[in-house]
């Protein structure tokens, strides 16, 4: 009987996760973001700004 009680832990965890997802409005997950070129351009602009001499020297 004690071993069966351990099965309640994943059951209640799953139920709690389902209630949390329902409560936060995540009933249907959205599709992943496939706009990798825009992300790459944003990353390269950020690297370019952070690597300029103005931001790397101490005033």
């Amino acid at each position: 009987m004690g071993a069966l009680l351990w099965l309640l832990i994943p059951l209640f965890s799953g139920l709690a996760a389902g209630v949390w997802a329902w409560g936060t409005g995540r009933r249907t997950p959205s599709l992943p973001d496939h706009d990798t070129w825009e992300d790459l351009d944003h990353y390269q602009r950020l690297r370019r700004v952070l690597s300029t001499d103005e931001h790397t020297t101490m005033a």
Side-chain angles (χ1 to χ4, degrees):
M1 185 67 182
L4 290 177
L5 289 177
W6 279 102
L7 293 175
L8 292 177
I9 293 173
L11 175 69
F12 286 134
S13 298
L15 289 174
V19 168
W20 173 79
W22 183 78
T24 57
R26 296 185 181 183
R27 292 170 186 85
T28 55
S30 62
L31 295 173
D33 183 18
H34 292 294
D35 195 10
T36 55
W37 295 114
E38 184 178 328
D39 293 340
L40 180 63
D41 290 339
H42 177 70
Y43 173 72
Q44 288 176 343
R45 282 194 311 262
L46 184 64
R47 277 188 63 192
R48 189 174 28 228
V49 167
L50 293 176
S51 67
T52 58
D53 290 333
E54 296 173 3
H55 297 286
T56 57
T57 58
M58 304 264 311

